[in-house]
Amino acid sequence: MLIGMLVVVYLFVGGSGAGALFVTCAWSLAFHRREDRTFVVTEAFEGLKRKGLFVGVALVVVSSVFLLLDLGRPELFFLLFARPTPTPISFGSFFLAADILLGAFLLVASLPFGAAVPTLAKKAAEVLCLAVSFAVMAYTGVFVAGVESVALWHTFLMPPLFVLSSLSAGIAVLLVVASLAEGGPFLVSGAPFLHRAHLAIIVLELLTIVLFVVEALSDEAAAGSLALLLGPSLGPWFVVGVGTFGIALPFVSEVVMARTGGSGASLPLGVSCLIGCFLLRFCIVAAGMH
């Protein structure tokens, strides 16, 4: 099975979109439990949530298009639903469709004319969107790990690695959106749990990458791919690129923002995380393909 650049983009865009929907819904559920929120802050948050939902849904839709294009016969996409099979692609198609529908419903419900939607229905949809978005993030890892012919990919660490990377990318998407939205920086600076969660995710992602490399070192079948991953062609992108943009810079930025309560670094922090998220997938896929 060959995995091309279209799927690399799909893995990145799909994971980032699902991560954005997950983080947006989680933040919404937490925000609306606060009793000290004011009308002005609530209005600002609802505006940020609409933008987060829109970008998340758009990214998942785009990722679905890339996946269909890579299959070679995109016009036959309906067969994935009409004739489902017990395969990762079939399960993933249903998860992607459910994520798009739930995200679209929440987006419509967040608009002024969606005020008629009961609050309980919105909360239920957000909880379901959390579950489905997590499934989409995990599926991107399962999709790659399911290729048994590539020893580097065929590991139980691939799904958690992609979930953690997608969560980081989802927070990054929301940070970028917030930096460009009215009142967004203020909301980010007033959400310390977001920074603490991101710090924990970054640390866990680093530990998972280390375990992934250690496991590959002990597997003779994965030795060739690992040598390429850490070698002169991909090594700078994986070790320096992922290590710098995906781990080091986000970690330092989040520590500074958590200590100072600042939000001025939201845009560069978000962009850095997204670069690291893409490079992680590109390097792992490229190493396995060779």
Side-chain angles (χ1 to χ4, degrees):
M1 177 181 177
L2 295 179
I3 295 184
M5 183 54 69
L6 284 176
V7 172
V8 174
V9 176
Y10 152 71
L11 294 172
F12 165 66
V13 177
S16 300
L21 289 174
F22 184 96
V23 175
T24 301
C25 290
W27 193 358
S28 177
L29 289 167
F31 178 84
H32 287 100
R33 288 177 61 88
R34 292 176 52 182
E35 297 181 355
D36 61 340
R37 67 183 189 277
T38 64
F39 176 78
V40 174
V41 173
T42 300
E43 285 296 299
F45 176 77
E46 289 299 321
L48 175 61
K49 184 173 77 171
R50 280 192 293 272
K51 293 179 176 65
L53 289 170
F54 175 79
V55 174
V57 170
L59 289 173
V60 176
V61 169
V62 170
S63 73
S64 302
V65 173
F66 278 111
L67 180 61
L68 291 174
L69 290 174
D70 189 74
L71 292 176
R73 298 290 300 278
E75 70 277 8
L76 299 179
F77 75 94
F78 64 91
L79 293 178
L80 292 171
F81 303 98
R83 300 176 185 175
T85 57
T87 62
I89 286 184
S90 186
F91 282 112
S93 300
F94 280 95
F95 288 142
L96 284 167
D99 214 19
I100 292 170
L101 291 175
L102 285 167
F105 170 78
L106 288 169
L107 177 59
V108 172
S110 70
L111 297 172
F113 56 79
V117 179
T119 301
L120 184 60
K122 295 178 183 178
K123 289 185 177 180
E126 286 178 340
V127 172
L128 285 174
C129 193
L130 280 176
V132 174
S133 296
F134 184 87
V136 171
M137 291 186 289
Y139 158 71
T140 58
V142 172
F143 177 81
V144 174
V147 183
E148 298 182 12
S149 59
V150 181
L152 183 69
W153 299 345
H154 194 54
T155 168
F156 73 96
L157 290 169
M158 197 63 69
L161 177 57
F162 275 36
V163 167
L164 291 167
S165 176
S166 296
L167 284 173
S168 181
I171 292 176
V173 169
L174 211 57
L175 289 174
V176 171
V177 171
S179 69
L180 302 175
E182 184 178 357
F186 169 75
L187 290 168
V188 170
S189 63
F193 67 90
L194 189 68
H195 302 296
R196 290 195 295 268
H198 199 192
L199 280 171
I201 289 167
I202 292 169
V203 171
L204 289 173
E205 184 181 356
L206 175 60
L207 291 175
T208 307
I209 291 174
V210 171
L211 289 174
F212 168 72
V213 172
V214 170
E215 184 191 47
L217 283 171
S218 63
D219 186 352
E220 292 184 4
S225 296
L226 183 64
L228 180 63
L229 183 65
L230 302 179
S233 58
L234 290 176
W237 297 104
F238 182 70
V239 178
V240 180
V242 176
T244 300
F245 293 104
I247 303 295
L249 288 179
F251 183 84
V252 173
S253 298
E254 286 291 15
V255 169
V256 172
M257 291 171 68
R259 288 180 176 272
T260 64
S263 59
S266 293
L267 182 58
L269 168 59
V271 172
S272 178
C273 285
L274 291 173
I275 292 173
C277 178
F278 176 80
L279 288 177
L280 177 71
R281 286 154 179 76
F282 170 76
C283 291
I284 289 177
V285 170
M289 288 297 297
H290 293 82

